[in-house]
Amino acid sequence: MVYGRTMTKRTIGNVARMSGLTIRTLHHYDDIGLLVPSDRATNGYRIYSESDLERLRTILVYRELGLGLPEIASILDEDADPAETLLRERAKLTDRIERLRGITDMIDKAIADQRKGRKMSAEDALSVFGDFDPAEYQEEAQERWGDTDAYAQSTLRTAAYTKTDWETIKADASQVNDLFLSLMTEGVPPSDPRALEAVDTHRTHISRWFYECTPEIHVGLGQMYIADPRFTANIDREADGLAAYMSAAIGARYSS
Amino acid sequence: MVYGRTMTKRTIGNVARMSGLTIRTLHHYDDIGLLVPSDRATNGYRIYSESDLERLRTILVYRELGLGLPEIASILDEDADPAETLLRERAKLTDRIERLRGITDMIDKAIADQRKGRKMSAEDALSVFGDFDPAEYQEEAQERWGDTDAYAQSTLRTAAYTKTDWETIKADASQVNDLFLSLMTEGVPPSDPRALEAVDTHRTHISRWFYECTPEIHVGLGQMYIADPRFTANIDREADGLAAYMSAAIGARYSS
DNA sequence: CCTTGACCCTCACGTAGCGTCATGGTTTAT
DNA sequence: ATAAACCATGACGCTACGTGAGGGTCAAGG
């Protein structure tokens, strides 16, 4: 067998070894039509030409970038714009990174909780929240929501929060509140896009720290902001009418 | 049907709604034995007790943390240590985050290449450094700095860097360079506080990726930027005179 | 009594990207 | 001639369910 520079026909095992893939992978690419060898020997063996290899190299690059095989196929067949596809993929990846980061944070907390067995005491929480006691709020919450998933999540998560966590949460929360506050003082109506965006920020905040706040739950929360004097008072401490404003914005956000 | 506080038996739809899951999911958990309802009605309906719900809540928390169902099962059946499992999971996640970060960088580069009209080739993907070969650079570095502490650190660290690491480093480096570049093109003098701040960023970058860059070393490096044509050429590839500008800024930063 | 609608059940196929046999033909070296 | 490589085509397995198909159960209404 001549192994010279003119050798342009390679068998599948040959290709597999030089590309670091397995034969099964090449079989698969053949099956789905992503890389169909341009020739077959009389005995049925797959024969890969030089241009097949080029195509394979391109496939590998895009695969490395995280694209799915169908997407790669549509790029190679020029049915799709590479840049656009890559941009979409990039967006998905950054989302995943964010989510994973959040998850690792939660795992850190869960581990710390597990190890130390130390739970956030009501005292610690109080020192951060001032006169608004989240523990007390939780009792009420349990009555209202019973043993819903949201409540369970909230309990489990908040149990793992340390004092500094609460400080972070509080800072985070007041940022969200300030967002609403500035909008309100500017006279922006609650139905304004900016206010609706703030609603989303608010929901994200809750989901991040307490429980997965679904739109339904969020609506209920918004109603409670004006129905429950404890909530109203706590929010209006920052500015009169803020609770009503937030509630209105939340209502507007989800009114189809 | 009484919907009071004593209701301890729930049907599958009931459970599904309050947990935000689908019925199929609960069927699945039953199938794989992760959550087998403790009772069945005479008609075959699944009956979930209160303790079933507790188990479900725990499942959901661990699922939220990214664990697989088999792992969750082994934790719940106390065949595995939760903390250990979580730690392993966390390690996997950080790995994935690192890889994803590298991939997004590659995508950025691929998109940039695409925009410039260049085609994605395997070569491009593999050699992010273009014609500046860090290995070659290191040989020279050893001659110059011999066995200094800085050089040892650099070797040790860079030896451990993966391809994606280098990509991150390059992206990071070009950010720093762009900082200097924009200042230079704006006509900001090297002695301007903004330029001095950029010098600190630069030093941090080096300390972060290569070795602890003391002010002394930094000064030496700055001098080399104009003394060594290889450095000069590599930097000035971005813009003519950038090496000189950076060198001047570094000099200004440490002139007491 | 029959229908309607809201529940519930059990299969069982489909997903992405191959890994991993199972079973068998072809070629080359000994 | 036989073993060692190499090739082929199925076909099932893996996650965590989604999505029907096809069919019981149960209460309310006509």
PDB file of all heavy atoms in Angstrom, chain B residues 92-126:
ATOM      1  N   LYS B  92     -18.340  18.877  38.172  1.00  0.00           N
ATOM      2  CA  LYS B  92     -18.729  18.693  36.775  1.00  0.00           C
ATOM      3  C   LYS B  92     -19.253  20.005  36.197  1.00  0.00           C
ATOM      4  O   LYS B  92     -18.953  20.360  35.055  1.00  0.00           O
ATOM      5  CB  LYS B  92     -19.816  17.611  36.668  1.00  0.00           C
ATOM      6  CG  LYS B  92     -19.283  16.204  36.828  1.00  0.00           C
ATOM      7  CD  LYS B  92     -20.235  15.172  36.237  1.00  0.00           C
ATOM      8  CE  LYS B  92     -21.572  15.160  36.957  1.00  0.00           C
ATOM      9  NZ  LYS B  92     -22.443  14.054  36.530  1.00  0.00           N
ATOM     10  N   LEU B  93     -20.023  20.705  36.993  1.00  0.00           N
ATOM     11  CA  LEU B  93     -20.604  21.946  36.502  1.00  0.00           C
ATOM     12  C   LEU B  93     -19.550  22.994  36.217  1.00  0.00           C
ATOM     13  O   LEU B  93     -19.593  23.662  35.185  1.00  0.00           O
ATOM     14  CB  LEU B  93     -21.606  22.492  37.528  1.00  0.00           C
ATOM     15  CG  LEU B  93     -22.940  21.776  37.543  1.00  0.00           C
ATOM     16  CD1 LEU B  93     -23.828  22.349  38.629  1.00  0.00           C
ATOM     17  CD2 LEU B  93     -23.607  21.909  36.188  1.00  0.00           C
ATOM     18  N   THR B  94     -18.598  23.129  37.129  1.00  0.00           N
ATOM     19  CA  THR B  94     -17.574  24.149  36.887  1.00  0.00           C
ATOM     20  C   THR B  94     -16.784  23.800  35.643  1.00  0.00           C
ATOM     21  O   THR B  94     -16.419  24.675  34.871  1.00  0.00           O
ATOM     22  CB  THR B  94     -16.636  24.283  38.095  1.00  0.00           C
ATOM     23  OG1 THR B  94     -16.174  22.980  38.448  1.00  0.00           O
ATOM     24  CG2 THR B  94     -17.355  24.893  39.269  1.00  0.00           C
ATOM     25  N   ASP B  95     -16.543  22.516  35.448  1.00  0.00           N
ATOM     26  CA  ASP B  95     -15.875  22.103  34.209  1.00  0.00           C
ATOM     27  C   ASP B  95     -16.688  22.543  33.002  1.00  0.00           C
ATOM     28  O   ASP B  95     -16.151  23.119  32.053  1.00  0.00           O
ATOM     29  CB  ASP B  95     -15.725  20.579  34.176  1.00  0.00           C
ATOM     30  CG  ASP B  95     -14.514  20.118  34.966  1.00  0.00           C
ATOM     31  OD1 ASP B  95     -13.888  20.980  35.601  1.00  0.00           O
ATOM     32  OD2 ASP B  95     -14.208  18.922  34.930  1.00  0.00           O
ATOM     33  N   ARG B  96     -17.961  22.258  33.070  1.00  0.00           N
ATOM     34  CA  ARG B  96     -18.806  22.606  31.933  1.00  0.00           C
ATOM     35  C   ARG B  96     -18.823  24.105  31.711  1.00  0.00           C
ATOM     36  O   ARG B  96     -18.809  24.580  30.579  1.00  0.00           O
ATOM     37  CB  ARG B  96     -20.229  22.102  32.160  1.00  0.00           C
ATOM     38  CG  ARG B  96     -20.393  20.656  31.779  1.00  0.00           C
ATOM     39  CD  ARG B  96     -21.764  20.149  32.108  1.00  0.00           C
ATOM     40  NE  ARG B  96     -22.815  20.804  31.355  1.00  0.00           N
ATOM     41  CZ  ARG B  96     -24.106  20.621  31.614  1.00  0.00           C
ATOM     42  NH1 ARG B  96     -24.476  19.842  32.597  1.00  0.00           N
ATOM     43  NH2 ARG B  96     -25.003  21.235  30.885  1.00  0.00           N
ATOM     44  N   ILE B  97     -18.849  24.856  32.807  1.00  0.00           N
ATOM     45  CA  ILE B  97     -18.845  26.308  32.662  1.00  0.00           C
ATOM     46  C   ILE B  97     -17.576  26.759  31.963  1.00  0.00           C
ATOM     47  O   ILE B  97     -17.599  27.568  31.045  1.00  0.00           O
ATOM     48  CB  ILE B  97     -18.977  26.994  34.039  1.00  0.00           C
ATOM     49  CG1 ILE B  97     -20.387  26.799  34.565  1.00  0.00           C
ATOM     50  CG2 ILE B  97     -18.644  28.472  33.939  1.00  0.00           C
ATOM     51  CD1 ILE B  97     -20.614  27.409  35.923  1.00  0.00           C
ATOM     52  N   GLU B  98     -16.453  26.185  32.406  1.00  0.00           N
ATOM     53  CA  GLU B  98     -15.183  26.562  31.788  1.00  0.00           C
ATOM     54  C   GLU B  98     -15.213  26.258  30.299  1.00  0.00           C
ATOM     55  O   GLU B  98     -14.842  27.089  29.469  1.00  0.00           O
ATOM     56  CB  GLU B  98     -14.033  25.786  32.448  1.00  0.00           C
ATOM     57  CG  GLU B  98     -13.596  26.392  33.768  1.00  0.00           C
ATOM     58  CD  GLU B  98     -13.442  27.904  33.674  1.00  0.00           C
ATOM     59  OE1 GLU B  98     -12.678  28.375  32.815  1.00  0.00           O
ATOM     60  OE2 GLU B  98     -14.110  28.620  34.443  1.00  0.00           O
ATOM     61  N   ARG B  99     -15.661  25.055  29.982  1.00  0.00           N
ATOM     62  CA  ARG B  99     -15.701  24.678  28.577  1.00  0.00           C
ATOM     63  C   ARG B  99     -16.627  25.582  27.790  1.00  0.00           C
ATOM     64  O   ARG B  99     -16.297  26.032  26.690  1.00  0.00           O
ATOM     65  CB  ARG B  99     -16.138  23.222  28.439  1.00  0.00           C
ATOM     66  CG  ARG B  99     -15.031  22.247  28.749  1.00  0.00           C
ATOM     67  CD  ARG B  99     -15.118  21.043  27.810  1.00  0.00           C
ATOM     68  NE  ARG B  99     -16.472  20.562  27.695  1.00  0.00           N
ATOM     69  CZ  ARG B  99     -17.041  19.685  28.514  1.00  0.00           C
ATOM     70  NH1 ARG B  99     -16.337  19.205  29.514  1.00  0.00           N
ATOM     71  NH2 ARG B  99     -18.274  19.298  28.332  1.00  0.00           N
ATOM     72  N   LEU B 100     -17.782  25.881  28.381  1.00  0.00           N
ATOM     73  CA  LEU B 100     -18.741  26.723  27.668  1.00  0.00           C
ATOM     74  C   LEU B 100     -18.164  28.112  27.438  1.00  0.00           C
ATOM     75  O   LEU B 100     -18.365  28.715  26.395  1.00  0.00           O
ATOM     76  CB  LEU B 100     -20.051  26.819  28.453  1.00  0.00           C
ATOM     77  CG  LEU B 100     -20.911  25.562  28.419  1.00  0.00           C
ATOM     78  CD1 LEU B 100     -22.176  25.767  29.236  1.00  0.00           C
ATOM     79  CD2 LEU B 100     -21.275  25.234  26.988  1.00  0.00           C
ATOM     80  N   ARG B 101     -17.447  28.599  28.448  1.00  0.00           N
ATOM     81  CA  ARG B 101     -16.851  29.924  28.291  1.00  0.00           C
ATOM     82  C   ARG B 101     -15.870  29.909  27.125  1.00  0.00           C
ATOM     83  O   ARG B 101     -15.847  30.813  26.302  1.00  0.00           O
ATOM     84  CB  ARG B 101     -16.155  30.333  29.576  1.00  0.00           C
ATOM     85  CG  ARG B 101     -16.361  31.799  29.880  1.00  0.00           C
ATOM     86  CD  ARG B 101     -15.278  32.336  30.747  1.00  0.00           C
ATOM     87  NE  ARG B 101     -15.199  31.681  32.042  1.00  0.00           N
ATOM     88  CZ  ARG B 101     -16.034  31.912  33.048  1.00  0.00           C
ATOM     89  NH1 ARG B 101     -17.010  32.764  32.892  1.00  0.00           N
ATOM     90  NH2 ARG B 101     -15.902  31.308  34.196  1.00  0.00           N
ATOM     91  N   GLY B 102     -15.064  28.858  27.093  1.00  0.00           N
ATOM     92  CA  GLY B 102     -14.118  28.731  25.989  1.00  0.00           C
ATOM     93  C   GLY B 102     -14.840  28.685  24.658  1.00  0.00           C
ATOM     94  O   GLY B 102     -14.432  29.324  23.683  1.00  0.00           O
ATOM     95  N   ILE B 103     -15.946  27.969  24.640  1.00  0.00           N
ATOM     96  CA  ILE B 103     -16.688  27.833  23.395  1.00  0.00           C
ATOM     97  C   ILE B 103     -17.274  29.162  22.943  1.00  0.00           C
ATOM     98  O   ILE B 103     -17.222  29.507  21.762  1.00  0.00           O
ATOM     99  CB  ILE B 103     -17.792  26.776  23.557  1.00  0.00           C
ATOM    100  CG1 ILE B 103     -17.160  25.380  23.673  1.00  0.00           C
ATOM    101  CG2 ILE B 103     -18.738  26.808  22.370  1.00  0.00           C
ATOM    102  CD1 ILE B 103     -18.144  24.296  23.987  1.00  0.00           C
ATOM    103  N   THR B 104     -17.796  29.917  23.889  1.00  0.00           N
ATOM    104  CA  THR B 104     -18.352  31.216  23.481  1.00  0.00           C
ATOM    105  C   THR B 104     -17.254  32.100  22.909  1.00  0.00           C
ATOM    106  O   THR B 104     -17.477  32.822  21.945  1.00  0.00           O
ATOM    107  CB  THR B 104     -19.019  31.947  24.655  1.00  0.00           C
ATOM    108  OG1 THR B 104     -18.072  32.091  25.698  1.00  0.00           O
ATOM    109  CG2 THR B 104     -20.229  31.180  25.153  1.00  0.00           C
ATOM    110  N   ASP B 105     -16.074  31.999  23.497  1.00  0.00           N
ATOM    111  CA  ASP B 105     -14.970  32.776  22.953  1.00  0.00           C
ATOM    112  C   ASP B 105     -14.678  32.347  21.523  1.00  0.00           C
ATOM    113  O   ASP B 105     -14.475  33.175  20.632  1.00  0.00           O
ATOM    114  CB  ASP B 105     -13.714  32.600  23.815  1.00  0.00           C
ATOM    115  CG  ASP B 105     -13.854  33.284  25.158  1.00  0.00           C
ATOM    116  OD1 ASP B 105     -14.815  34.071  25.302  1.00  0.00           O
ATOM    117  OD2 ASP B 105     -13.037  33.031  26.041  1.00  0.00           O
ATOM    118  N   MET B 106     -14.659  31.030  21.331  1.00  0.00           N
ATOM    119  CA  MET B 106     -14.403  30.535  19.984  1.00  0.00           C
ATOM    120  C   MET B 106     -15.479  31.020  19.025  1.00  0.00           C
ATOM    121  O   MET B 106     -15.200  31.354  17.876  1.00  0.00           O
ATOM    122  CB  MET B 106     -14.369  29.008  19.986  1.00  0.00           C
ATOM    123  CG  MET B 106     -13.065  28.424  20.450  1.00  0.00           C
ATOM    124  SD  MET B 106     -13.055  26.628  20.259  1.00  0.00           S
ATOM    125  CE  MET B 106     -13.069  26.466  18.476  1.00  0.00           C
ATOM    126  N   ILE B 107     -16.699  31.035  19.512  1.00  0.00           N
ATOM    127  CA  ILE B 107     -17.793  31.473  18.651  1.00  0.00           C
ATOM    128  C   ILE B 107     -17.615  32.941  18.287  1.00  0.00           C
ATOM    129  O   ILE B 107     -17.812  33.344  17.136  1.00  0.00           O
ATOM    130  CB  ILE B 107     -19.142  31.227  19.341  1.00  0.00           C
ATOM    131  CG1 ILE B 107     -19.454  29.731  19.350  1.00  0.00           C
ATOM    132  CG2 ILE B 107     -20.251  31.986  18.623  1.00  0.00           C
ATOM    133  CD1 ILE B 107     -20.776  29.382  19.952  1.00  0.00           C
ATOM    134  N   ASP B 108     -17.219  33.730  19.286  1.00  0.00           N
ATOM    135  CA  ASP B 108     -16.968  35.137  18.998  1.00  0.00           C
ATOM    136  C   ASP B 108     -15.941  35.271  17.883  1.00  0.00           C
ATOM    137  O   ASP B 108     -16.126  36.036  16.945  1.00  0.00           O
ATOM    138  CB  ASP B 108     -16.444  35.841  20.257  1.00  0.00           C
ATOM    139  CG  ASP B 108     -17.564  36.112  21.230  1.00  0.00           C
ATOM    140  OD1 ASP B 108     -18.735  36.095  20.791  1.00  0.00           O
ATOM    141  OD2 ASP B 108     -17.278  36.329  22.409  1.00  0.00           O
ATOM    142  N   LYS B 109     -14.894  34.499  18.035  1.00  0.00           N
ATOM    143  CA  LYS B 109     -13.844  34.559  17.030  1.00  0.00           C
ATOM    144  C   LYS B 109     -14.348  34.073  15.671  1.00  0.00           C
ATOM    145  O   LYS B 109     -14.069  34.680  14.642  1.00  0.00           O
ATOM    146  CB  LYS B 109     -12.656  33.703  17.472  1.00  0.00           C
ATOM    147  CG  LYS B 109     -11.513  33.729  16.473  1.00  0.00           C
ATOM    148  CD  LYS B 109     -10.338  32.974  17.019  1.00  0.00           C
ATOM    149  CE  LYS B 109      -9.339  32.579  15.943  1.00  0.00           C
ATOM    150  NZ  LYS B 109      -9.374  33.344  14.729  1.00  0.00           N
ATOM    151  N   ALA B 110     -15.106  32.983  15.721  1.00  0.00           N
ATOM    152  CA  ALA B 110     -15.635  32.440  14.468  1.00  0.00           C
ATOM    153  C   ALA B 110     -16.540  33.461  13.787  1.00  0.00           C
ATOM    154  O   ALA B 110     -16.502  33.631  12.568  1.00  0.00           O
ATOM    155  CB  ALA B 110     -16.418  31.154  14.748  1.00  0.00           C
ATOM    156  N   ILE B 111     -17.319  34.150  14.587  1.00  0.00           N
ATOM    157  CA  ILE B 111     -18.211  35.156  14.021  1.00  0.00           C
ATOM    158  C   ILE B 111     -17.408  36.303  13.424  1.00  0.00           C
ATOM    159  O   ILE B 111     -17.684  36.777  12.327  1.00  0.00           O
ATOM    160  CB  ILE B 111     -19.182  35.685  15.092  1.00  0.00           C
ATOM    161  CG1 ILE B 111     -20.188  34.596  15.449  1.00  0.00           C
ATOM    162  CG2 ILE B 111     -19.908  36.925  14.598  1.00  0.00           C
ATOM    163  CD1 ILE B 111     -21.067  34.943  16.613  1.00  0.00           C
ATOM    164  N   ALA B 112     -16.386  36.707  14.169  1.00  0.00           N
ATOM    165  CA  ALA B 112     -15.540  37.787  13.668  1.00  0.00           C
ATOM    166  C   ALA B 112     -14.916  37.385  12.339  1.00  0.00           C
ATOM    167  O   ALA B 112     -14.896  38.157  11.380  1.00  0.00           O
ATOM    168  CB  ALA B 112     -14.457  38.110  14.694  1.00  0.00           C
ATOM    169  N   ASP B 113     -14.426  36.156  12.286  1.00  0.00           N
ATOM    170  CA  ASP B 113     -13.827  35.665  11.048  1.00  0.00           C
ATOM    171  C   ASP B 113     -14.851  35.679   9.923  1.00  0.00           C
ATOM    172  O   ASP B 113     -14.562  36.109   8.811  1.00  0.00           O
ATOM    173  CB  ASP B 113     -13.317  34.228  11.246  1.00  0.00           C
ATOM    174  CG  ASP B 113     -12.018  34.219  12.034  1.00  0.00           C
ATOM    175  OD1 ASP B 113     -11.517  35.320  12.312  1.00  0.00           O
ATOM    176  OD2 ASP B 113     -11.533  33.137  12.369  1.00  0.00           O
ATOM    177  N   GLN B 114     -16.008  35.195  10.265  1.00  0.00           N
ATOM    178  CA  GLN B 114     -17.093  35.167   9.296  1.00  0.00           C
ATOM    179  C   GLN B 114     -17.374  36.548   8.728  1.00  0.00           C
ATOM    180  O   GLN B 114     -17.541  36.745   7.540  1.00  0.00           O
ATOM    181  CB  GLN B 114     -18.356  34.650   9.997  1.00  0.00           C
ATOM    182  CG  GLN B 114     -18.780  33.278   9.545  1.00  0.00           C
ATOM    183  CD  GLN B 114     -19.497  33.388   8.238  1.00  0.00           C
ATOM    184  OE1 GLN B 114     -20.280  34.304   8.075  1.00  0.00           O
ATOM    185  NE2 GLN B 114     -19.217  32.477   7.332  1.00  0.00           N
ATOM    186  N   ARG B 115     -17.423  37.523   9.634  1.00  0.00           N
ATOM    187  CA  ARG B 115     -17.721  38.891   9.226  1.00  0.00           C
ATOM    188  C   ARG B 115     -16.665  39.405   8.271  1.00  0.00           C
ATOM    189  O   ARG B 115     -16.953  40.094   7.307  1.00  0.00           O
ATOM    190  CB  ARG B 115     -17.774  39.791  10.460  1.00  0.00           C
ATOM    191  CG  ARG B 115     -18.981  39.534  11.310  1.00  0.00           C
ATOM    192  CD  ARG B 115     -19.851  40.782  11.393  1.00  0.00           C
ATOM    193  NE  ARG B 115     -21.080  40.490  12.109  1.00  0.00           N
ATOM    194  CZ  ARG B 115     -21.193  40.541  13.427  1.00  0.00           C
ATOM    195  NH1 ARG B 115     -20.152  40.892  14.156  1.00  0.00           N
ATOM    196  NH2 ARG B 115     -22.335  40.271  14.013  1.00  0.00           N
ATOM    197  N   LYS B 116     -15.432  39.045   8.593  1.00  0.00           N
ATOM    198  CA  LYS B 116     -14.340  39.516   7.748  1.00  0.00           C
ATOM    199  C   LYS B 116     -14.303  38.790   6.416  1.00  0.00           C
ATOM    200  O   LYS B 116     -13.481  39.096   5.572  1.00  0.00           O
ATOM    201  CB  LYS B 116     -13.000  39.309   8.478  1.00  0.00           C
ATOM    202  CG  LYS B 116     -12.741  40.372   9.534  1.00  0.00           C
ATOM    203  CD  LYS B 116     -11.292  40.311   9.982  1.00  0.00           C
ATOM    204  CE  LYS B 116     -11.187  39.806  11.398  1.00  0.00           C
ATOM    205  NZ  LYS B 116      -9.831  39.455  11.798  1.00  0.00           N
ATOM    206  N   GLY B 117     -15.199  37.834   6.269  1.00  0.00           N
ATOM    207  CA  GLY B 117     -15.273  37.146   4.995  1.00  0.00           C
ATOM    208  C   GLY B 117     -14.412  35.914   4.931  1.00  0.00           C
ATOM    209  O   GLY B 117     -14.413  35.195   3.954  1.00  0.00           O
ATOM    210  N   ARG B 118     -13.669  35.703   6.003  1.00  0.00           N
ATOM    211  CA  ARG B 118     -12.833  34.520   5.983  1.00  0.00           C
ATOM    212  C   ARG B 118     -13.672  33.300   6.318  1.00  0.00           C
ATOM    213  O   ARG B 118     -14.622  33.365   7.076  1.00  0.00           O
ATOM    214  CB  ARG B 118     -11.731  34.667   7.036  1.00  0.00           C
ATOM    215  CG  ARG B 118     -10.573  35.495   6.517  1.00  0.00           C
ATOM    216  CD  ARG B 118      -9.641  35.847   7.650  1.00  0.00           C
ATOM    217  NE  ARG B 118      -9.246  34.663   8.413  1.00  0.00           N
ATOM    218  CZ  ARG B 118      -8.605  34.734   9.571  1.00  0.00           C
ATOM    219  NH1 ARG B 118      -8.320  35.894  10.080  1.00  0.00           N
ATOM    220  NH2 ARG B 118      -8.272  33.644  10.213  1.00  0.00           N
ATOM    221  N   LYS B 119     -13.293  32.210   5.745  1.00  0.00           N
ATOM    222  CA  LYS B 119     -14.032  30.986   6.033  1.00  0.00           C
ATOM    223  C   LYS B 119     -13.458  30.319   7.267  1.00  0.00           C
ATOM    224  O   LYS B 119     -12.274  30.405   7.545  1.00  0.00           O
ATOM    225  CB  LYS B 119     -13.954  30.025   4.850  1.00  0.00           C
ATOM    226  CG  LYS B 119     -14.877  30.414   3.732  1.00  0.00           C
ATOM    227  CD  LYS B 119     -14.857  29.338   2.661  1.00  0.00           C
ATOM    228  CE  LYS B 119     -15.628  29.811   1.442  1.00  0.00           C
ATOM    229  NZ  LYS B 119     -15.449  28.886   0.317  1.00  0.00           N
ATOM    230  N   MET B 120     -14.310  29.649   7.981  1.00  0.00           N
ATOM    231  CA  MET B 120     -13.875  28.886   9.137  1.00  0.00           C
ATOM    232  C   MET B 120     -13.070  27.703   8.650  1.00  0.00           C
ATOM    233  O   MET B 120     -13.548  26.879   7.905  1.00  0.00           O
ATOM    234  CB  MET B 120     -15.087  28.325   9.864  1.00  0.00           C
ATOM    235  CG  MET B 120     -15.633  29.220  10.931  1.00  0.00           C
ATOM    236  SD  MET B 120     -14.424  29.506  12.187  1.00  0.00           S
ATOM    237  CE  MET B 120     -14.461  27.884  12.948  1.00  0.00           C
ATOM    238  N   SER B 121     -11.859  27.615   9.082  1.00  0.00           N
ATOM    239  CA  SER B 121     -11.097  26.418   8.752  1.00  0.00           C
ATOM    240  C   SER B 121     -10.649  25.761  10.041  1.00  0.00           C
ATOM    241  O   SER B 121     -10.664  26.374  11.099  1.00  0.00           O
ATOM    242  CB  SER B 121      -9.887  26.776   7.910  1.00  0.00           C
ATOM    243  OG  SER B 121      -8.922  27.398   8.728  1.00  0.00           O
ATOM    244  N   ALA B 122     -10.265  24.533   9.909  1.00  0.00           N
ATOM    245  CA  ALA B 122      -9.793  23.820  11.097  1.00  0.00           C
ATOM    246  C   ALA B 122      -8.572  24.534  11.667  1.00  0.00           C
ATOM    247  O   ALA B 122      -8.401  24.628  12.860  1.00  0.00           O
ATOM    248  CB  ALA B 122      -9.424  22.388  10.731  1.00  0.00           C
ATOM    249  N   GLU B 123      -7.773  25.046  10.759  1.00  0.00           N
ATOM    250  CA  GLU B 123      -6.570  25.750  11.190  1.00  0.00           C
ATOM    251  C   GLU B 123      -6.905  26.933  12.097  1.00  0.00           C
ATOM    252  O   GLU B 123      -6.342  27.105  13.149  1.00  0.00           O
ATOM    253  CB  GLU B 123      -5.848  26.285   9.959  1.00  0.00           C
ATOM    254  CG  GLU B 123      -4.488  25.696   9.725  1.00  0.00           C
ATOM    255  CD  GLU B 123      -3.943  26.238   8.433  1.00  0.00           C
ATOM    256  OE1 GLU B 123      -4.567  26.004   7.374  1.00  0.00           O
ATOM    257  OE2 GLU B 123      -2.928  26.924   8.485  1.00  0.00           O
ATOM    258  N   ASP B 124      -7.878  27.712  11.646  1.00  0.00           N
ATOM    259  CA  ASP B 124      -8.275  28.880  12.433  1.00  0.00           C
ATOM    260  C   ASP B 124      -8.725  28.475  13.816  1.00  0.00           C
ATOM    261  O   ASP B 124      -8.403  29.119  14.801  1.00  0.00           O
ATOM    262  CB  ASP B 124      -9.417  29.616  11.728  1.00  0.00           C
ATOM    263  CG  ASP B 124      -8.915  30.368  10.522  1.00  0.00           C
ATOM    264  OD1 ASP B 124      -7.719  30.671  10.490  1.00  0.00           O
ATOM    265  OD2 ASP B 124      -9.723  30.643   9.628  1.00  0.00           O
ATOM    266  N   ALA B 125      -9.486  27.415  13.843  1.00  0.00           N
ATOM    267  CA  ALA B 125     -10.028  26.993  15.121  1.00  0.00           C
ATOM    268  C   ALA B 125      -8.931  26.525  16.059  1.00  0.00           C
ATOM    269  O   ALA B 125      -8.987  26.747  17.260  1.00  0.00           O
ATOM    270  CB  ALA B 125     -11.041  25.888  14.916  1.00  0.00           C
ATOM    271  N   LEU B 126      -7.938  25.897  15.475  1.00  0.00           N
ATOM    272  CA  LEU B 126      -6.904  25.325  16.327  1.00  0.00           C
ATOM    273  C   LEU B 126      -5.871  26.346  16.754  1.00  0.00           C
ATOM    274  O   LEU B 126      -5.366  26.304  17.850  1.00  0.00           O
ATOM    275  CB  LEU B 126      -6.216  24.166  15.592  1.00  0.00           C
ATOM    276  CG  LEU B 126      -7.131  22.968  15.385  1.00  0.00           C
ATOM    277  CD1 LEU B 126      -6.407  21.880  14.594  1.00  0.00           C
ATOM    278  CD2 LEU B 126      -7.580  22.412  16.730  1.00  0.00           C
TER     279      LEU B 126
END
